[in-house]
Coordinates of all heavy atoms in Angstrom, one line a residue:
M1 N 119.1 113.2 98.4 CA 118.4 112.0 98.1 C 119.3 110.8 98.4 O 120.5 111.0 98.2 CB 118.1 112.0 96.7 CG 117.5 110.6 96.1 SD 116.9 110.6 94.5 CE 118.5 110.6 93.5
E2 N 118.8 109.8 98.8 CA 119.5 108.6 99.1 C 119.0 107.5 98.3 O 117.8 107.3 98.1 CB 119.4 108.3 100.6 CG 120.2 107.0 101.1 CD 119.8 106.6 102.5 OE1 119.5 107.7 103.3 OE2 120.0 105.5 102.9
E3 N 119.9 106.7 97.8 CA 119.6 105.5 96.9 C 119.7 104.3 97.9 O 120.6 104.0 98.6 CB 120.5 105.3 95.7 CG 120.2 104.1 94.9 CD 121.1 104.0 93.7 OE1 121.9 104.9 93.4 OE2 121.1 102.9 93.0
K4 N 118.7 103.3 97.9 CA 118.7 102.2 98.7 C 118.5 101.0 97.8 O 117.8 100.8 97.0 CB 117.5 102.2 99.7 CG 117.5 101.2 100.6 CD 118.4 101.4 101.8 CE 118.1 100.6 103.0 NZ 119.2 100.8 104.0
K5 N 119.6 99.9 97.9 CA 119.4 98.8 97.2 C 118.7 97.7 98.1 O 118.9 97.5 99.3 CB 120.9 98.2 97.0 CG 121.0 96.9 96.3 CD 122.4 96.5 96.0 CE 122.4 95.4 95.2 NZ 123.8 94.9 94.8
L6 N 117.7 97.1 97.4 CA 116.8 96.2 98.1 C 116.9 94.8 97.4 O 116.2 94.5 96.5 CB 115.3 96.6 98.1 CG 115.1 97.8 98.9 CD1 113.7 98.3 98.7 CD2 115.4 97.7 100.4
T7 N 118.0 94.1 97.8 CA 118.2 92.7 97.2 C 117.2 91.8 97.5 O 116.7 91.8 98.7 CB 119.7 92.4 97.6 OG1 120.6 93.2 97.2 CG2 119.9 90.9 97.1
S8 N 116.9 90.9 96.7 CA 116.1 89.6 97.0 C 117.0 88.5 96.6 O 117.6 88.5 95.5 CB 114.8 89.6 96.2 OG 113.9 90.7 96.6
L9 N 116.9 87.3 97.4 CA 117.7 86.2 97.1 C 116.7 85.1 96.7 O 115.7 84.9 97.5 CB 118.6 85.8 98.3 CG 119.6 86.9 98.8 CD1 120.3 86.4 100.0 CD2 120.6 87.1 97.8
V10 N 116.9 84.5 95.6 CA 116.0 83.4 95.1 C 116.6 82.1 95.2 O 117.7 81.9 94.7 CB 115.7 83.8 93.6 CG1 114.7 82.7 93.1 CG2 115.1 85.3 93.4
F11 N 116.0 81.1 96.0 CA 116.4 79.8 96.0 C 115.2 78.9 95.4 O 114.4 78.5 96.2 CB 116.6 79.5 97.5 CG 117.7 80.3 98.1 CD1 117.3 81.5 98.8 CD2 119.0 80.0 98.3 CE1 118.2 82.4 99.4 CE2 119.9 80.8 98.8 CZ 119.5 81.9 99.4
G12 N 115.2 78.8 94.1 CA 114.1 78.2 93.4 C 112.9 79.0 93.6 O 112.8 80.1 93.4
N13 N 111.8 78.4 94.3 CA 110.5 79.2 94.6 C 110.5 79.8 96.0 O 109.5 80.4 96.3 CB 109.3 78.4 94.2 CG 109.2 77.3 95.0 OD1 110.1 76.5 95.5 ND2 107.9 76.8 95.4
V14 N 111.6 79.5 96.8 CA 111.7 80.3 98.0 C 112.5 81.5 97.8 O 113.6 81.4 97.4 CB 112.4 79.2 99.2 CG1 112.5 80.0 100.4 CG2 111.5 78.1 99.3
V15 N 111.9 82.6 98.3 CA 112.6 83.9 98.0 C 112.7 84.7 99.4 O 111.7 84.8 100.0 CB 111.8 84.7 96.8 CG1 112.5 86.0 96.6 CG2 111.7 84.0 95.7
I16 N 113.8 85.3 99.6 CA 114.0 86.2 100.7 C 113.9 87.5 100.1 O 114.8 88.0 99.3 CB 115.2 86.0 101.5 CG1 115.4 84.5 102.0 CG2 115.4 87.0 102.7 CD1 116.7 84.3 102.6
E17 N 112.9 88.4 100.4 CA 112.7 89.7 99.8 C 112.9 90.7 100.6 O 112.3 90.8 101.7 CB 111.3 89.7 99.2 CG 111.0 88.8 97.9 CD 109.7 89.0 97.2 OE1 109.0 89.9 97.6 OE2 109.3 88.2 96.5
S18 N 113.7 91.7 100.2 CA 113.9 92.9 101.1 C 113.0 94.0 100.8 O 112.5 94.2 99.7 CB 115.3 93.4 100.7 OG 116.4 92.7 101.3
T19 N 112.5 94.7 101.9 CA 111.8 95.9 101.7 C 112.6 96.9 102.6 O 113.6 96.7 103.1 CB 110.3 95.7 102.4 OG1 110.5 95.6 103.8 CG2 109.6 94.5 101.8
L20 N 112.1 98.3 102.5 CA 112.6 99.2 103.3 C 112.8 98.9 104.6 O 113.7 99.3 105.5 CB 112.0 100.5 103.1 CG 112.3 101.1 101.7 CD1 111.4 102.5 101.6 CD2 113.8 101.6 101.4
M21 N 111.7 98.1 105.2 CA 111.7 98.0 106.7 C 112.2 96.6 107.2 O 112.3 96.2 108.4 CB 110.2 98.0 107.2 CG 109.6 99.3 106.8 SD 110.4 100.7 107.7 CE 110.1 100.4 109.3
G22 N 112.7 95.7 106.2 CA 113.1 94.4 106.6 C 113.3 93.4 105.4 O 113.3 93.9 104.3
A23 N 113.2 92.2 105.7 CA 113.2 91.1 104.8 C 112.2 90.0 105.1 O 112.2 89.7 106.3 CB 114.6 90.6 104.4
F24 N 111.6 89.4 104.2 CA 110.6 88.3 104.4 C 110.8 87.1 103.6 O 111.3 87.2 102.4 CB 109.2 88.9 104.1 CG 108.8 90.1 104.8 CD1 109.2 91.3 104.2 CD2 108.3 90.1 105.9 CE1 108.8 92.6 104.8 CE2 108.0 91.4 106.6 CZ 108.2 92.6 106.0
V25 N 110.5 85.9 104.1 CA 110.7 84.7 103.4 C 109.3 84.4 102.8 O 108.3 84.4 103.5 CB 111.1 83.5 104.3 CG1 111.1 82.1 103.5 CG2 112.4 83.8 105.0
R26 N 109.4 84.3 101.5 CA 108.1 83.9 100.8 C 108.3 82.8 99.9 O 109.2 82.4 99.4 CB 107.8 85.2 99.8 CG 107.4 86.4 100.6 CD 107.0 87.5 99.8 NE 106.6 88.6 100.5 CZ 106.4 89.8 100.1 NH1 106.7 90.1 98.9 NH2 106.0 90.8 100.9
I27 N 107.1 81.9 99.9 CA 107.2 80.8 99.0 C 106.3 81.0 97.8 O 105.1 81.2 98.0 CB 106.6 79.5 99.7 CG1 107.5 79.2 101.0 CG2 106.6 78.2 98.8 CD1 106.9 78.1 101.9
Y28 N 106.8 81.1 96.6 CA 106.2 81.3 95.4 C 105.5 80.0 94.8 O 106.1 79.0 95.0 CB 107.0 82.1 94.5 CG 107.2 83.5 94.7 CD1 108.1 84.0 95.5 CD2 106.3 84.4 94.1 CE1 108.2 85.3 95.8 CE2 106.5 85.7 94.2 CZ 107.3 86.3 95.2 OH 107.4 87.5 95.4
S29 N 104.4 80.2 94.1 CA 103.9 79.0 93.3 C 104.9 78.7 92.2 O 105.8 79.6 91.8 CB 102.6 79.5 92.7 OG 102.7 80.5 91.9
P30 N 104.7 77.6 91.6 CA 105.6 77.1 90.5 C 105.8 78.2 89.4 O 106.8 78.3 88.8 CB 105.0 75.9 90.0 CG 104.4 75.3 91.2 CD 103.9 76.5 91.9
D31 N 104.6 78.9 89.0 CA 104.6 79.8 88.0 C 105.2 81.3 88.5 O 105.2 82.2 87.7 CB 103.3 80.0 87.2 CG 102.3 80.6 88.2 OD1 102.5 81.0 89.4 OD2 101.1 80.5 87.7
M32 N 105.5 81.4 89.9 CA 106.0 82.6 90.4 C 105.0 83.8 90.3 O 105.5 84.9 90.4 CB 107.4 83.0 89.7 CG 108.5 81.9 89.9 SD 108.9 81.6 91.6 CE 110.3 83.0 91.8
R33 N 103.7 83.6 90.2 CA 102.8 84.7 90.1 C 102.1 84.9 91.4 O 101.5 85.9 91.5 CB 101.7 84.3 89.0 CG 102.3 84.2 87.6 CD 101.2 83.9 86.6 NE 101.8 83.7 85.3 CZ 101.5 84.5 84.3 NH1 100.4 85.3 84.3 NH2 102.0 84.2 83.2
S34 N 102.2 84.0 92.3 CA 101.6 84.3 93.7 C 102.5 83.6 94.7 O 103.4 82.9 94.5 CB 100.3 83.5 93.7 OG 100.4 82.1 93.6
Y35 N 102.3 84.0 96.0 CA 103.2 83.6 97.0 C 102.5 83.5 98.2 O 101.4 83.9 98.4 CB 104.5 84.5 97.2 CG 104.1 85.9 97.6 CD1 103.9 86.2 99.1 CD2 103.8 87.0 96.8 CE1 103.6 87.4 99.5 CE2 103.5 88.2 97.3 CZ 103.4 88.5 98.6 OH 103.1 89.8 99.0
S36 N 103.1 82.8 99.3 CA 102.6 82.6 100.6 C 103.7 83.0 101.5 O 104.9 82.8 101.4 CB 102.3 81.1 100.8 OG 102.1 80.8 102.2
M37 N 103.3 83.7 102.7 CA 104.2 84.0 103.7 C 103.8 83.1 105.0 O 104.4 83.5 106.0 CB 104.1 85.5 104.1 CG 104.7 86.3 103.0 SD 104.5 88.3 103.3 CE 105.5 88.3 104.8
N38 N 103.0 82.2 104.8 CA 102.4 81.5 106.0 C 103.4 80.4 106.3 O 103.4 79.2 105.9 CB 101.1 80.8 105.7 CG 100.0 81.9 105.4 OD1 100.2 83.0 105.9 ND2 99.0 81.6 104.7
T39 N 104.3 80.7 107.3 CA 105.3 79.8 107.8 C 105.1 79.7 109.3 O 104.3 80.6 109.7 CB 106.7 80.2 107.6 OG1 106.9 81.4 108.1 CG2 107.1 80.2 106.1
D40 N 105.3 78.6 110.0 CA 105.1 78.5 111.4 C 105.5 79.5 112.2 O 104.9 80.1 113.2 CB 105.6 77.2 111.8 CG 104.9 76.0 111.2 OD1 103.8 76.1 110.7 OD2 105.4 74.9 111.3
R41 N 106.8 80.2 111.9 CA 107.3 81.2 112.7 C 107.2 82.6 112.1 O 107.6 83.6 112.7 CB 108.8 80.8 113.0 CG 109.0 79.6 113.8 CD 110.4 79.4 114.1 NE 110.6 78.1 114.7 CZ 111.7 77.3 114.6 NH1 112.7 77.9 114.0 NH2 111.8 76.2 115.2
N42 N 106.8 82.5 110.8 CA 106.7 83.9 110.1 C 107.9 84.6 110.3 O 108.0 85.7 110.8 CB 105.4 84.7 110.5 CG 105.0 85.6 109.5 OD1 105.5 85.6 108.3 ND2 104.3 86.6 110.0
I43 N 109.1 84.1 109.8 CA 110.5 84.8 109.9 C 110.5 86.1 109.2 O 110.2 86.1 108.1 CB 111.6 83.9 109.4 CG1 111.5 82.5 110.1 CG2 112.9 84.6 109.3 CD1 111.9 82.7 111.6
T44 N 110.8 87.1 110.0 CA 111.0 88.5 109.4 C 112.2 89.1 110.0 O 112.5 89.0 111.1 CB 109.8 89.4 109.9 OG1 108.6 88.7 109.6 CG2 110.0 90.8 109.4
L45 N 113.2 89.5 109.0 CA 114.3 90.1 109.4 C 114.0 91.6 109.5 O 113.2 92.3 108.7 CB 115.4 90.0 108.3 CG 115.8 88.5 108.0 CD1 116.7 88.3 106.8 CD2 116.5 88.0 109.4
K46 N 114.7 92.3 110.5 CA 114.3 93.7 110.7 C 115.1 94.8 109.9 O 115.0 95.9 110.3 CB 114.5 94.0 112.3 CG 113.7 93.2 113.2 CD 112.2 93.4 113.0 CE 111.4 92.6 114.0 NZ 110.0 92.7 113.7
A47 N 116.0 94.3 109.0 CA 116.5 95.1 108.1 C 116.7 94.5 106.8 O 116.6 93.2 106.6 CB 118.0 95.3 108.7
P48 N 116.8 95.3 105.8 CA 117.0 94.7 104.4 C 118.2 93.8 104.3 O 119.2 94.0 105.1 CB 117.2 96.0 103.4 CG 116.6 97.0 104.3 CD 116.8 96.8 105.6
L49 N 118.3 92.9 103.5 CA 119.4 92.0 103.4 C 120.8 92.7 103.2 O 121.7 92.4 103.7 CB 119.3 91.0 102.1 CG 118.2 90.0 102.4 CD1 117.9 89.3 101.1 CD2 118.6 89.1 103.5
D50 N 120.7 93.8 102.3 CA 122.1 94.5 102.1 C 122.6 95.2 103.3 O 123.7 95.4 103.4 CB 121.8 95.5 100.9 CG 121.6 94.8 99.6 OD1 122.5 94.2 99.1 OD2 120.4 94.9 99.1
D51 N 121.6 95.5 104.2 CA 122.1 96.2 105.5 C 122.7 95.2 106.5 O 123.6 95.5 107.3 CB 121.0 97.0 106.2 CG 120.5 98.2 105.4 OD1 121.1 98.5 104.5 OD2 119.5 98.7 105.9
L52 N 122.4 94.0 106.3 CA 122.8 92.8 107.1 C 124.1 92.2 106.7 O 124.9 91.7 107.4 CB 121.9 91.7 107.3 CG 120.6 92.1 107.9 CD1 119.5 90.8 107.9 CD2 120.7 92.5 109.4
R53 N 124.4 92.4 105.3 CA 125.6 91.7 104.7 C 126.8 92.1 105.3 O 127.2 93.4 105.4 CB 125.5 92.0 103.2 CG 126.5 91.1 102.4 CD 126.2 91.4 101.0 NE 127.1 90.3 100.2 CZ 127.1 90.2 99.0 NH1 126.6 91.2 98.2 NH2 127.9 89.3 98.3
G54 N 127.6 91.2 105.8 CA 128.9 91.5 106.4 C 128.9 92.1 107.8 O 129.9 92.4 108.3
E55 N 127.7 92.2 108.3 CA 127.5 92.8 109.7 C 127.2 91.7 110.8 O 127.1 92.0 111.9 CB 126.3 93.8 109.7 CG 126.6 95.0 108.8 CD 127.8 95.8 109.2 OE1 127.9 96.0 110.4 OE2 128.6 96.2 108.3
I56 N 126.8 90.6 110.5 CA 126.5 89.5 111.4 C 127.7 88.8 111.8 O 128.6 88.4 111.0 CB 125.5 88.5 110.8 CG1 124.2 89.3 110.3 CG2 125.1 87.4 111.7 CD1 123.3 88.4 109.5
P57 N 127.9 88.7 113.1 CA 129.1 87.9 113.6 C 129.1 86.5 113.1 O 128.1 85.8 113.1 CB 128.9 88.0 115.2 CG 128.0 89.1 115.4 CD 127.1 89.2 114.2
P58 N 130.3 86.2 112.7 CA 130.4 84.8 112.1 C 129.9 83.6 113.0 O 129.2 82.7 112.4 CB 132.0 84.6 112.0 CG 132.6 85.9 111.8 CD 131.6 86.8 112.7
G59 N 129.9 83.8 114.2 CA 129.4 82.7 115.1 C 127.9 82.7 115.1 O 127.3 81.7 115.5
H60 N 127.2 83.7 114.6 CA 125.8 83.7 114.5 C 125.2 83.4 113.2 O 123.9 83.2 113.0 CB 125.2 85.1 114.9 CG 125.5 85.4 116.4 ND1 126.2 86.5 116.8 CD2 125.2 84.8 117.5 CE1 126.3 86.6 118.0 NE2 125.7 85.5 118.6
L61 N 126.1 83.4 112.1 CA 125.6 83.0 110.8 C 124.8 81.8 110.6 O 123.8 81.7 110.0 CB 126.7 83.3 109.7 CG 127.1 84.6 109.3 CD1 128.2 84.5 108.5 CD2 125.9 85.3 108.6
D62 N 125.4 80.7 111.2 CA 124.9 79.3 111.0 C 123.5 79.4 111.6 O 122.6 78.7 111.1 CB 125.8 78.2 111.5 CG 127.0 78.0 110.8 OD1 127.0 78.3 109.5 OD2 128.0 77.5 111.4
A63 N 123.4 79.8 112.8 CA 122.1 79.8 113.6 C 121.0 80.6 112.8 O 119.9 80.2 112.6 CB 122.2 80.4 115.0
L64 N 121.5 81.8 112.3 CA 120.5 82.6 111.5 C 120.1 81.9 110.2 O 118.7 81.8 109.9 CB 121.2 83.9 111.1 CG 120.3 84.9 110.3 CD1 119.0 85.3 111.1 CD2 121.0 86.0 109.9
C65 N 120.9 81.3 109.5 CA 120.6 80.5 108.2 C 119.7 79.3 108.6 O 118.7 79.0 107.9 CB 121.8 80.1 107.5 SG 122.8 81.5 106.8
E66 N 120.0 78.7 109.7 CA 119.1 77.6 110.1 C 117.8 78.1 110.4 O 116.7 77.4 110.1 CB 119.8 76.9 111.4 CG 119.0 75.8 112.0 CD 119.3 74.5 111.3 OE1 120.3 74.3 110.7 OE2 118.4 73.6 111.5
L67 N 117.7 79.2 111.1 CA 116.3 79.7 111.5 C 115.4 80.3 110.3 O 114.3 80.0 110.2 CB 116.6 80.8 112.6 CG 115.3 81.4 113.0 CD1 114.5 80.4 113.9 CD2 115.6 82.7 113.8
I68 N 116.2 80.9 109.4 CA 115.5 81.5 108.3 C 114.9 80.4 107.4 O 113.6 80.5 106.9 CB 116.6 82.3 107.3 CG1 116.8 83.6 108.1 CG2 115.9 82.6 106.0 CD1 117.9 84.4 107.4
F69 N 115.6 79.3 107.2 CA 115.0 78.1 106.3 C 114.3 77.1 107.1 O 113.7 76.2 106.4 CB 116.1 77.7 105.5 CG 116.6 78.6 104.3 CD1 117.9 78.7 104.1 CD2 115.7 79.3 103.6 CE1 118.4 79.7 103.1 CE2 116.1 80.2 102.6 CZ 117.4 80.3 102.5
H70 N 114.1 77.2 108.3 CA 113.5 76.1 109.1 C 112.1 75.6 108.6 O 111.9 74.5 108.4 CB 113.4 76.4 110.6 CG 112.8 75.5 111.4 ND1 113.4 74.3 111.8 CD2 111.6 75.4 112.0 CE1 112.7 73.5 112.5 NE2 111.5 74.1 112.6
D71 N 111.2 76.6 108.3 CA 109.8 76.3 108.0 C 109.7 76.0 106.4 O 108.6 75.7 106.1 CB 109.0 77.4 108.4 CG 108.8 77.7 109.8 OD1 109.1 76.7 110.5 OD2 108.6 78.8 110.2
V72 N 110.8 76.2 105.7 CA 110.7 75.9 104.3 C 111.7 74.8 103.7 O 112.0 74.7 102.6 CB 110.9 77.2 103.5 CG1 109.8 78.3 103.8 CG2 112.4 77.9 103.8
E73 N 112.2 73.9 104.7 CA 113.1 72.9 104.3 C 112.5 72.0 103.3 O 113.3 71.6 102.4 CB 113.5 72.2 105.6 CG 114.3 72.9 106.6 CD 114.7 72.1 107.9 OE1 114.2 70.9 107.8 OE2 115.4 72.7 108.7
E74 N 111.2 71.5 103.6 CA 110.7 70.6 102.5 C 110.5 71.2 101.1 O 110.9 70.5 100.1 CB 109.3 70.2 103.1 CG 108.6 69.1 102.1 CD 107.3 68.6 102.7 OE1 107.3 68.6 104.0 OE2 106.4 68.4 101.9
E75 N 110.1 72.5 101.2 CA 110.0 73.1 99.7 C 111.5 73.3 99.1 O 111.5 73.1 98.0 CB 109.5 74.6 100.1 CG 109.0 75.3 98.8 CD 107.8 74.7 98.3 OE1 106.9 74.2 99.1 OE2 107.6 74.6 97.0
L76 N 112.4 73.6 99.9 CA 113.8 73.7 99.3 C 114.4 72.3 98.9 O 114.8 72.2 97.8 CB 114.7 74.4 100.3 CG 114.6 75.8 100.6 CD1 115.4 76.2 101.8 CD2 115.1 76.6 99.3
D77 N 114.1 71.3 99.7 CA 114.6 70.0 99.3 C 113.8 69.4 98.0 O 114.4 68.6 97.3 CB 114.4 69.0 100.4 CG 115.3 69.1 101.6 OD1 116.6 69.6 101.2 OD2 115.2 68.7 102.7
T78 N 112.6 69.8 97.8 CA 111.8 69.4 96.7 C 112.2 70.3 95.5 O 112.2 69.7 94.4 CB 110.3 69.6 97.0 OG1 110.0 68.7 98.1 CG2 109.4 69.1 95.8
H79 N 112.4 71.6 95.5 CA 112.3 72.4 94.3 C 113.8 73.1 94.2 O 113.9 73.9 93.2 CB 111.3 73.4 94.4 CG 109.9 72.8 94.4 ND1 109.3 72.3 93.3 CD2 109.0 72.7 95.4 CE1 108.1 71.8 93.6 NE2 108.0 72.1 94.9
Y80 N 114.7 72.9 95.0 CA 115.9 73.7 94.9 C 117.1 72.6 94.7 O 117.3 71.8 95.6 CB 116.2 74.6 96.0 CG 117.4 75.6 95.8 CD1 117.4 76.5 94.7 CD2 118.5 75.5 96.6 CE1 118.5 77.4 94.6 CE2 119.5 76.4 96.5 CZ 119.5 77.3 95.4 OH 120.5 78.3 95.1
P81 N 117.9 72.7 93.6 CA 119.0 71.8 93.5 C 119.9 71.9 94.8 O 120.5 73.0 95.1 CB 119.7 72.3 92.2 CG 118.7 73.1 91.5 CD 117.8 73.7 92.6
G82 N 120.2 70.8 95.4 CA 121.1 70.8 96.6 C 120.2 70.9 97.8 O 120.8 70.8 98.8
G83 N 119.0 71.3 97.7 CA 118.1 71.3 98.9 C 118.5 72.4 99.9 O 119.2 73.3 99.7
V84 N 117.9 72.1 101.0 CA 118.2 73.2 102.1 C 119.5 73.3 102.5 O 120.0 74.4 102.9 CB 117.2 72.8 103.3 CG1 117.6 71.6 104.0 CG2 117.1 74.1 104.3
A85 N 120.2 72.4 102.4 CA 121.8 72.4 102.8 C 122.4 73.3 102.0 O 123.2 74.2 102.4 CB 122.4 71.0 102.8
R86 N 122.3 73.3 100.6 CA 123.0 74.2 99.8 C 122.4 75.6 99.9 O 123.1 76.6 99.8 CB 122.7 73.7 98.3 CG 123.3 74.7 97.2 CD 123.1 74.1 95.9 NE 123.5 75.2 95.0 CZ 123.0 75.3 93.8 NH1 122.0 74.5 93.2 NH2 123.3 76.4 92.9
A87 N 121.1 75.8 100.1 CA 120.6 77.0 100.3 C 121.2 77.8 101.6 O 121.5 79.0 101.5 CB 119.0 76.9 100.4
R88 N 121.3 77.0 102.6 CA 121.9 77.5 103.9 C 123.3 77.9 103.6 O 123.8 79.1 104.1 CB 121.8 76.5 105.0 CG 120.5 76.4 105.6 CD 120.4 75.5 106.8 NE 119.0 75.6 107.5 CZ 118.3 74.5 107.6 NH1 118.8 73.3 107.3 NH2 117.1 74.6 108.1
Q89 N 124.0 77.0 103.0 CA 125.4 77.4 102.6 C 125.6 78.7 101.8 O 126.5 79.5 102.1 CB 126.2 76.2 102.0 CG 127.6 76.5 101.5 CD 128.2 75.4 100.7 OE1 127.5 74.4 100.5 NE2 129.4 75.7 100.2
E90 N 124.7 78.8 100.9 CA 124.8 80.0 99.9 C 124.5 81.2 100.7 O 125.0 82.2 100.5 CB 123.9 79.6 98.7 CG 124.5 78.7 97.8 CD 123.5 78.3 96.5 OE1 122.4 78.7 96.6 OE2 123.9 77.8 95.6
L91 N 123.4 81.1 101.5 CA 123.0 82.3 102.3 C 124.1 82.7 103.2 O 124.3 83.9 103.4 CB 121.7 82.0 103.0 CG 121.2 83.1 103.8 CD1 120.8 84.4 103.0 CD2 119.8 82.7 104.5
R92 N 124.7 81.7 103.8 CA 125.8 82.0 104.8 C 126.9 82.7 104.2 O 127.4 83.8 104.7 CB 126.3 80.8 105.5 CG 127.2 80.9 106.6 CD 127.8 79.7 107.1 NE 128.6 79.9 108.4 CZ 129.6 80.8 108.5 NH1 130.1 81.3 107.5 NH2 130.3 80.8 109.7
E93 N 127.3 82.2 103.0 CA 128.4 82.8 102.3 C 128.0 84.3 101.7 O 128.8 85.2 101.9 CB 128.7 82.0 101.0 CG 129.4 80.7 101.4 CD 129.6 79.8 100.3 OE1 129.2 80.1 99.1 OE2 130.1 78.6 100.6
W94 N 126.8 84.5 101.3 CA 126.4 85.8 100.9 C 126.3 86.8 102.1 O 126.8 87.8 102.0 CB 125.0 85.7 100.2 CG 124.6 87.0 99.5 CD1 124.9 87.3 98.3 CD2 123.8 88.0 100.0 NE1 124.4 88.5 98.0 CE2 123.7 89.1 99.0 CE3 123.3 88.4 101.3 CZ2 123.2 90.3 99.2 CZ3 122.7 89.5 101.5 CH2 122.7 90.5 100.4
L95 N 125.7 86.4 103.1 CA 125.6 87.3 104.3 C 126.9 87.6 104.9 O 127.2 88.7 105.5 CB 124.7 86.7 105.4 CG 123.2 86.6 105.1 CD1 122.4 85.9 106.2 CD2 122.6 88.3 105.0
G96 N 127.9 86.7 104.8 CA 129.1 86.8 105.4 C 130.2 87.6 104.6 O 131.2 88.1 105.0
N97 N 129.8 87.8 103.4 CA 130.7 88.5 102.5 C 130.4 90.0 102.4 O 129.3 90.4 102.0 CB 130.5 87.9 101.0 CG 131.3 88.6 100.0 OD1 132.2 89.4 100.4 ND2 131.2 88.2 98.7
S98 N 131.2 90.8 103.0 CA 131.0 92.3 103.1 C 131.4 93.0 101.7 O 131.1 94.1 101.6 CB 131.8 92.8 104.3 OG 133.2 92.6 104.1
E99 N 132.1 92.2 100.9 CA 132.5 92.8 99.6 C 131.3 92.6 98.6 O 131.0 91.6 98.2 CB 133.7 92.2 99.0 CG 134.9 92.4 100.0 CD 136.1 91.7 99.4 OE1 136.2 91.5 98.2 OE2 137.1 91.5 100.2
H100 N 130.7 93.8 98.2 CA 129.6 93.7 97.3 C 130.0 93.7 95.9 O 130.6 94.6 95.4 CB 128.5 94.8 97.6 CG 128.2 94.9 99.0 ND1 127.7 93.9 99.7 CD2 128.4 96.0 99.9 CE1 127.4 94.3 101.0 NE2 127.8 95.5 101.2

């Protein structure tokens, strides 16, 4: 048997949720009872977040964080303290940290 950790990262009501097959950006309603995945680019990562952590070359982290939050910038600026800039910085630090 293998145990698999499926981390989700929460940035206010914008959540990056891991599944066995990848990770998806979802925008939850204010009560967190429903969500939308309808973004212009429908960003999907092909691996769970934990599999990516510490594996992305430092030179690609900024571009990846920019891309992941591109379609939800307004939502983050409205509902997340520090807005999209803080969310990108936190995601970059989390993904770049190989020590769990």
Side-chain angles (χ1 to χ4, degrees):
M1 176 176 75
E2 179 181 338
E3 181 178 351
K4 186 79 166 171
K5 184 175 180 183
L6 296 173
T7 296
S8 292
L9 301 177
V10 180
F11 302 90
N13 64 328
V14 174
V15 180
I16 305 172
E17 293 187 9
S18 291
T19 68
L20 287 174
M21 301 303 291
F24 306 91
V25 178
R26 295 182 175 166
I27 301 172
Y28 278 81
S29 64
D31 64 5
M32 299 298 275
R33 293 179 186 235
S34 61
Y35 65 86
S36 168
M37 290 177 61
N38 294 335
T39 60
D40 292 340
R41 295 186 191 153
N42 199 17
I43 298 299
T44 303
L45 299 173
K46 300 296 183 189
L49 289 169
D50 292 294
D51 291 357
L52 298 174
R53 193 172 192 188
E55 298 298 319
I56 301 169
H60 293 121
L61 277 174
D62 288 335
L64 178 63
C65 293
E66 179 85 21
L67 183 64
I68 287 173
F69 288 137
H70 178 77
D71 292 335
V72 294
E73 288 179 6
E74 186 176 323
E75 195 69 34
L76 288 166
D77 283 338
T78 302
H79 298 287
Y80 191 61
V84 70
R86 177 177 168 207
R88 283 187 177 122
Q89 176 187 355
E90 290 174 343
L91 179 59
R92 185 187 194 294
E93 290 171 1
W94 190 90
L95 284 171
N97 183 2
S98 61
E99 296 178 21
H100 309 302

